[in-house]
Amino acid sequence: MDLEQRLEELLGVEKFEPPEELRAEANWSDPGIYEEAAADPEAWWLAQAKELLDWDVEPSQSLDDSNPPFYKWFADGRLNASAQCLDRHVEAGNGDRVAFHWRGEEGEERDLTYADLHRDVQRFANALKDLGVEKGDVVGIYLPMIPEVVVAMLACARIGAPHNVVFGGFSAEAVAERMDFSEAKALITVDGARRKGKTAPIKPQVDEHMANHHALEKIVVVRHTGIECPMSEGRDVFYDEAMAAADPECPAEPMEAEHPLYILYTSGSTAKPKGILHTTGGYMTGVTATHRYVFDLKPDSDVYWCAADVGWVTGHSYIVYGPLSNGATSVMWEGAPDYPHKGIWWEVVERYKATILYAAPTAIRTFIKWGADIPAEHDLSSLRLLGSVGEPINPKAWLWYREVIGGGRCPIVDTWWQTETGGIMISPLPGLTATKPGSATVPFPGVEASVVDERDGEPIEEGQGLLVLERPWPSMLRGLYKEDDRFIETYFSRFGNERYLVGDAARRDSDGYFWVIGRIDDVVNVSGHRLSTAEVESAIVAHPDVAEAAVIGESDEDTGQAICAFVTLRGGKDESEELVEGIRGTVAERIGKFARPKRIVWADDLPKTRSGKIMRRLLRDIAEGRALGDVTTLRDPDVMKELESKIAEEQAQEG
Ligand code: WT7
């Protein structure tokens, strides 16, 4: 039977039961776990915290809800996140275990053991101290997927300096802004980055934007590409030189459970990104538990590969903190999926005999387009479990992933969560939960989710509404960095302090399974990269020829959503291909290449209400070719007619 036929046939299967073999050996296979956790979630989480982590001071408290929505977990406990990830494994005699099989773009290989990381992290922690970094100081990290990024993160954790990692795809300008918002004292970056055989300067670009950033005192530069970079006397230092000069020993300092571990900026409804704040004890409990149970991790035998970038929360929780806390052996990979060839992922799986693969639906859709014969050239029989994250996965892609990559034998865990939740919230447990293609299934034990009516917040047993989380959980964000009001306003103003508003719409089916539909706010998900429409708009209007812009996310076969911008030009400026490229360039400079609009629609005017608010809902309707919603509140309804004929014209041209 050919693949298409097989997939068609599987579309008729409602549920996939856990494979018997996996169930028999699974880390959790007793369904009683859900009831046990639900009966007393706080006691259950406290038991998890004690079982999964080695505390310097064991907590006696679980949740502290005396000041909602500013919740605390395990507050009287003490521990150090880097010691959880390294020291305890070395002390247990597992120093020789490989933590990362690192693989560079050009095929370079470097194995880093737990002992290697332990050694490097201690040295770099001392190097940071030598540079004047103290407990509580924020340290920026802007690095590609190289081992030093893990060393940098854990060295910060070791001395209690919260890190602020910025994804390498962001522009230097976006980095500068995030350094300013977080008042970062130091930044760790790289001379240059590699992408598909080309190298691009990073440090020189950082320099261009850092001149006016007063809080930033030091820049550490990792030599990676050998690109020449000017160093500023007294401010800049090379990583290798700082390491060589530092003391080798740096005992881990026990931190209060609520000591900030990191800030990670993510997009919200306004142009200003939100600094999501995570702390130590609850976060480590959450990521260790979910990584162990959702991926059924067996540290002695599994080779785990999370193909995300450390610059996003998936990388923080499921490349760095979760896997290292569990003593896993992982693959860490620098490259792009089509370099040097379109089968590189499968070559990597085969080479390291990966047993668990965690990837984004957008990648899977790309592989589908490239064809099943590419993975077929490689031996993927080591795989036993597949994960999906970042956006809804359509059933067809889910089934292709299962059949073509998983050989029909690997269960798929579709994991729903967010930067804010710190760890996985809704997901199957592979030994317990029957899966349905396209559904993230049910909340993790100790997590309670509902779908509620947007009007009155009443829970909906079966049907569609807003997704909420009904009680605090250990790995939840503790706030937005220095923006308490925005924290309350964004997540807890609609339904009160006890209920966390997710920002996604979801549906529940008759089995109580959750089907996450997508964002309800002005957040767009492009290839699993989260962007706010306001952020992109403010970048576009920075172009000197642009008068006004409205950005929407439109459905896209490859990237899930794509950025579509409606742009009005200043008087006397003409629409041109050159201008399109100019605008895309401005966005690349201000945010990053991944935020560039895919489509720009020239508009003489934008649809606005009488009070001047742009009605993006109408723009979404015409972009997606839907019948227009209510236009009576528009100041000038003719604007829509003109835009409609513009789009029709465009489509006619495309044929
Ligand atoms: C948003 C969070 C989760 C870490 C990476 C993204 C969407 C995420 C799923 C999924 C459907 C998903 C949601 C969520 N999302 N995972 N399995 N099914 N949607 O983290 O950048 O904070 O984005 O991604 O819309 O709210 P993020």
Side-chain angles (χ1 to χ4, degrees), residues 266 313-314 388-392 414-420 504 516 518-519 525 528 530:
T266 187
V313 75
T314 307
S388 173
V389 62
E391 53 179 316
D414 175 4
T415 61
W416 176 87
W417 58 294
Q418 313 177 292
T419 308
E420 289 89 337
D504 283 346
V516 177
R519 305 287 312 188
N525 190 329
R530 183 164 154 183

